[in-house]
Amino acid sequence: MSDRHVFEYALLRVVPRVERGECVNAGVLVYCRPKSYVAARTHLDEARLLALDPKADLPGVRAALRAVEKVCAGGDAAGQAAGDDAGRRFRWLIAPRSTIVQPGPVHTGLTADPAAETERLLELLVR
């Protein structure tokens, strides 16, 4: 029996000017149903974002990224999502939206350690 489990992940992208279609990867969402695990890790490269849009709302983007992390963490900080299970929180966060912080497509993989996978994906795809 394998100790690896299927997980899903999506990048969080900052799209400062939708009409241009340019984006900066700013985080990763990871969900592993067998482990009831959902987490987001973010890293905003402010210089890269400002290169795309010198007028980007940095405090607003930072706040949006923190909100995603709070929803994943659950508890009181998750607001209305506090009572939702990990899967519902992940599905809500990956739903398409037309805000400055948007989820990318969902991908899958196998992992024995979802928390380590979250860190690995952040380093590989965001930083």
Side-chain angles (χ1 to χ4, degrees):
M1 185 108 185
S2 173
D3 62 342
R4 297 188 319 160
H5 302 281
V6 172
F7 73 96
E8 300 172 71
Y9 73 95
L11 288 171
L12 290 173
R13 298 174 174 162
V14 179
V15 184
R17 295 177 57 195
V18 176
E19 70 277 9
R20 292 183 59 125
E22 300 167 328
C23 66
V24 173
N25 292 344
V28 63
L29 293 162
V30 175
Y31 170 58
C32 183
R33 182 176 176 212
K35 297 283 191 175
S36 296
Y37 175 89
V38 65
R41 290 279 288 121
T42 62
H43 171 79
L44 181 61
D45 185 333
E46 294 178 3
R48 184 178 286 175
L49 179 57
L50 291 173
L52 293 180
D53 182 1
K55 296 179 183 178
D57 177 11
L58 292 177
V61 171
R62 281 190 228 105
L65 293 171
R66 279 192 308 271
V68 170
E69 290 178 333
K70 288 178 181 180
V71 168
C72 284
D76 292 339
Q80 289 181 298
D84 291 342
D85 63 31
R88 282 183 62 108
R89 291 194 314 271
F90 179 74
R91 297 285 171 238
W92 183 77
L93 290 167
I94 63 165
R97 48 185 45 88
S98 59
T99 60
I100 192 168
V101 175
Q102 301 178 10
V106 176
H107 306 281
T108 61
L110 293 171
T111 187
D113 185 347
E117 193 65 37
T118 303
E119 294 299 323
R120 186 186 78 78
L121 290 170
L122 181 73
E123 289 299 321
L124 179 68
L125 302 173
V126 177
R127 291 192 179 193

Coordinates of all heavy atoms in Angstrom, one line a residue, residues 32-75:
C32 N -5.5 18.2 -0.2 CA -5.4 16.7 -0.2 C -6.5 16.1 0.6 O -6.5 16.2 1.9 CB -4.0 16.4 0.5 SG -3.7 14.6 0.4
R33 N -7.5 15.6 -0.1 CA -8.7 15.1 0.6 C -8.4 14.0 1.6 O -9.0 14.1 2.7 CB -9.7 14.6 -0.5 CG -11.0 14.1 0.1 CD -12.0 13.7 -0.9 NE -13.2 13.2 -0.3 CZ -13.9 12.3 -0.8 NH1 -13.6 11.8 -2.0 NH2 -14.9 11.8 -0.2
P34 N -7.6 13.0 1.3 CA -7.4 11.9 2.3 C -6.8 12.4 3.6 O -7.0 11.8 4.6 CB -6.4 11.0 1.6 CG -6.6 11.2 0.1 CD -6.9 12.7 0.0
K35 N -6.1 13.6 3.6 CA -5.5 14.1 4.8 C -6.3 15.3 5.3 O -5.9 15.9 6.3 CB -4.1 14.6 4.4 CG -3.1 13.5 4.0 CD -2.7 12.8 5.2 CE -1.5 11.9 4.9 NZ -0.9 11.2 6.0
S36 N -7.4 15.6 4.7 CA -8.3 16.8 5.1 C -7.4 18.0 5.2 O -7.5 18.8 6.1 CB -9.0 16.5 6.4 OG -9.9 15.5 6.3
Y37 N -6.5 18.2 4.2 CA -5.5 19.2 4.2 C -5.8 20.3 3.2 O -6.1 19.9 2.0 CB -4.1 18.6 4.0 CG -3.0 19.7 3.8 CD1 -2.3 20.1 4.9 CD2 -2.7 20.2 2.6 CE1 -1.3 21.0 4.8 CE2 -1.7 21.1 2.5 CZ -1.0 21.5 3.6 OH 0.0 22.5 3.5
V38 N -5.9 21.5 3.6 CA -5.9 22.6 2.6 C -5.0 23.7 3.2 O -5.1 24.0 4.4 CB -7.4 23.1 2.3 CG1 -8.0 23.7 3.6 CG2 -7.4 24.1 1.2
A39 N -4.2 24.3 2.3 CA -3.3 25.4 2.7 C -3.0 26.3 1.6 O -3.0 25.8 0.4 CB -2.1 24.8 3.4
A40 N -2.7 27.5 1.9 CA -2.2 28.4 0.9 C -0.9 29.0 1.4 O -0.8 29.3 2.6 CB -3.2 29.6 0.6
R41 N 0.1 29.2 0.6 CA 1.3 29.9 0.9 C 1.5 30.9 -0.2 O 1.3 30.6 -1.4 CB 2.5 28.9 0.9 CG 2.5 27.9 2.0 CD 3.0 28.5 3.4 NE 4.4 28.7 3.3 CZ 5.1 29.8 3.4 NH1 4.4 30.9 3.7 NH2 6.4 29.9 3.3
T42 N 1.9 32.1 0.2 CA 2.0 33.2 -0.7 C 3.3 33.9 -0.6 O 4.0 33.8 0.4 CB 0.9 34.2 -0.5 OG1 1.0 34.8 0.8 CG2 -0.5 33.6 -0.7
H43 N 3.7 34.5 -1.7 CA 4.9 35.3 -1.8 C 4.7 36.3 -2.9 O 4.6 35.9 -4.0 CB 6.2 34.5 -2.0 CG 7.4 35.3 -2.3 ND1 8.1 35.9 -1.3 CD2 8.0 35.6 -3.5 CE1 9.1 36.6 -1.9 NE2 9.0 36.4 -3.2
L44 N 4.7 37.6 -2.5 CA 4.4 38.6 -3.6 C 5.8 39.3 -3.9 O 6.4 39.9 -3.1 CB 3.5 39.7 -3.0 CG 3.1 40.8 -4.0 CD1 2.5 40.2 -5.3 CD2 2.2 41.8 -3.3
D45 N 6.1 39.1 -5.2 CA 7.3 39.8 -5.7 C 6.8 41.2 -6.2 O 6.3 41.4 -7.3 CB 7.9 39.1 -6.9 CG 9.2 39.6 -7.4 OD1 9.4 40.9 -7.3 OD2 10.0 38.9 -8.0
E46 N 6.9 42.2 -5.2 CA 6.4 43.5 -5.5 C 7.0 44.2 -6.7 O 6.4 44.9 -7.4 CB 6.5 44.3 -4.2 CG 5.6 43.8 -3.1 CD 5.7 44.6 -1.8 OE1 6.4 45.6 -1.7 OE2 5.0 44.1 -0.8
A47 N 8.3 44.0 -6.8 CA 9.0 44.7 -7.9 C 8.5 44.2 -9.3 O 8.3 44.9 -10.2 CB 10.5 44.4 -7.8
R48 N 8.3 42.9 -9.3 CA 7.7 42.3 -10.6 C 6.3 42.8 -10.9 O 6.0 43.1 -12.0 CB 7.8 40.8 -10.5 CG 7.3 40.1 -11.8 CD 7.4 38.6 -11.6 NE 8.8 38.2 -11.7 CZ 9.2 36.9 -11.5 NH1 8.3 36.0 -11.3 NH2 10.4 36.6 -11.6
L49 N 5.5 42.9 -9.8 CA 4.2 43.4 -10.0 C 4.2 44.8 -10.4 O 3.5 45.2 -11.4 CB 3.4 43.2 -8.7 CG 1.9 43.7 -8.7 CD1 1.1 43.1 -9.8 CD2 1.3 43.5 -7.4
L50 N 5.0 45.6 -9.8 CA 5.1 47.0 -10.2 C 5.7 47.2 -11.6 O 5.4 48.2 -12.2 CB 5.9 47.8 -9.1 CG 5.2 48.0 -7.8 CD1 6.2 48.6 -6.8 CD2 3.9 48.7 -7.9
A51 N 6.5 46.3 -12.1 CA 6.9 46.4 -13.5 C 5.8 46.2 -14.4 O 5.8 46.8 -15.5 CB 8.0 45.3 -13.7
L52 N 4.8 45.4 -14.0 CA 3.6 45.2 -14.9 C 2.6 46.4 -14.8 O 2.0 46.8 -15.7 CB 2.9 43.9 -14.6 CG 3.6 42.6 -14.8 CD1 2.7 41.5 -14.4 CD2 4.0 42.5 -16.3
D53 N 2.5 46.9 -13.6 CA 1.6 48.0 -13.3 C 2.2 48.9 -12.2 O 2.0 48.6 -11.0 CB 0.2 47.5 -13.0 CG -0.8 48.6 -12.8 OD1 -0.4 49.8 -12.9 OD2 -1.9 48.3 -12.4
P54 N 2.8 50.0 -12.5 CA 3.4 50.9 -11.5 C 2.4 51.4 -10.5 O 2.7 51.9 -9.4 CB 4.0 52.0 -12.3 CG 4.2 51.5 -13.7 CD 3.1 50.5 -13.9
K55 N 1.1 51.4 -10.9 CA 0.0 51.9 -10.0 C -0.7 50.8 -9.2 O -1.8 51.0 -8.7 CB -1.0 52.7 -10.8 CG -0.3 54.0 -11.4 CD -1.3 54.7 -12.2 CE -0.7 55.9 -12.8 NZ -1.6 56.7 -13.7
A56 N -0.1 49.6 -9.2 CA -0.8 48.5 -8.6 C -1.0 48.8 -7.1 O -0.2 49.4 -6.4 CB 0.0 47.2 -8.7
D57 N -2.1 48.3 -6.6 CA -2.5 48.5 -5.2 C -1.9 47.4 -4.3 O -2.5 46.4 -4.0 CB -4.1 48.4 -5.1 CG -4.6 48.6 -3.7 OD1 -3.8 48.9 -2.8 OD2 -5.8 48.3 -3.5
L58 N -0.6 47.7 -3.9 CA 0.1 46.7 -3.2 C -0.6 46.3 -1.8 O -0.7 45.1 -1.5 CB 1.6 47.2 -2.9 CG 2.4 47.2 -4.2 CD1 3.8 47.8 -3.8 CD2 2.6 45.9 -4.8
P59 N -1.0 47.3 -1.0 CA -1.7 46.9 0.2 C -2.9 46.1 -0.1 O -3.2 45.1 0.7 CB -2.0 48.3 0.9 CG -1.1 49.2 0.3 CD -0.8 48.8 -1.1
G60 N -3.7 46.4 -1.1 CA -4.9 45.6 -1.4 C -4.5 44.2 -1.9 O -5.2 43.2 -1.5
V61 N -3.5 44.0 -2.6 CA -3.1 42.7 -3.1 C -2.6 41.9 -1.9 O -3.0 40.7 -1.7 CB -2.0 42.8 -4.2 CG1 -1.4 41.4 -4.5 CG2 -2.5 43.4 -5.4
R62 N -1.8 42.5 -1.0 CA -1.3 41.8 0.2 C -2.5 41.4 1.0 O -2.5 40.2 1.6 CB -0.4 42.7 1.0 CG 1.0 42.8 0.5 CD 2.0 43.5 1.4 NE 2.7 44.5 0.7 CZ 2.6 45.8 0.8 NH1 1.6 46.3 1.5 NH2 3.3 46.6 0.0
A63 N -3.5 42.2 1.2 CA -4.6 41.9 2.0 C -5.4 40.7 1.4 O -5.9 39.8 2.1 CB -5.6 43.1 2.2
A64 N -5.6 40.7 0.1 CA -6.3 39.6 -0.6 C -5.5 38.3 -0.4 O -6.2 37.3 -0.2 CB -6.5 40.0 -2.1
L65 N -4.2 38.3 -0.5 CA -3.4 37.1 -0.4 C -3.5 36.6 1.1 O -3.7 35.4 1.3 CB -2.0 37.3 -0.8 CG -1.7 37.6 -2.3 CD1 -0.3 38.0 -2.5 CD2 -2.1 36.4 -3.1
R66 N -3.5 37.5 2.0 CA -3.6 37.1 3.5 C -5.0 36.5 3.7 O -5.1 35.5 4.4 CB -3.4 38.3 4.4 CG -2.0 38.6 4.7 CD -1.8 39.6 5.8 NE -2.6 40.8 5.7 CZ -2.2 41.9 5.0 NH1 -1.0 42.0 4.5 NH2 -3.0 43.0 4.9
A67 N -6.0 37.0 3.1 CA -7.4 36.5 3.2 C -7.5 35.1 2.7 O -8.1 34.2 3.3 CB -8.4 37.4 2.5
V68 N -6.8 34.8 1.6 CA -6.8 33.4 1.1 C -6.2 32.5 2.1 O -6.7 31.4 2.4 CB -6.1 33.3 -0.3 CG1 -5.9 31.9 -0.7 CG2 -6.9 34.1 -1.3
E69 N -5.0 32.9 2.7 CA -4.4 32.0 3.7 C -5.3 31.8 4.9 O -5.3 30.7 5.4 CB -3.1 32.7 4.1 CG -2.0 32.7 3.0 CD -0.7 33.4 3.4 OE1 -0.7 34.3 4.2 OE2 0.3 33.0 2.9
K70 N -6.0 32.8 5.3 CA -6.9 32.7 6.4 C -8.0 31.7 6.2 O -8.4 31.0 7.0 CB -7.4 34.1 6.9 CG -6.4 34.9 7.5 CD -6.9 36.3 7.9 CE -5.9 37.2 8.5 NZ -6.4 38.5 8.8
V71 N -8.6 31.8 5.0 CA -9.7 30.9 4.6 C -9.2 29.5 4.6 O -9.9 28.6 5.2 CB -10.3 31.2 3.2 CG1 -11.2 30.1 2.8 CG2 -11.1 32.6 3.3
C72 N -8.0 29.2 4.1 CA -7.4 27.9 4.1 C -7.2 27.4 5.6 O -7.5 26.2 5.9 CB -6.1 27.8 3.4 SG -6.3 27.9 1.6
A73 N -6.7 28.3 6.4 CA -6.4 27.9 7.8 C -7.7 27.5 8.6 O -7.6 26.8 9.6 CB -5.7 29.0 8.5
G74 N -8.8 28.1 8.2 CA -10.1 27.8 8.9 C -10.2 28.6 10.2 O -9.4 29.5 10.4
G75 N -11.0 28.1 11.1 CA -11.2 28.8 12.4 C -11.8 30.1 12.2 O -12.4 30.5 11.1

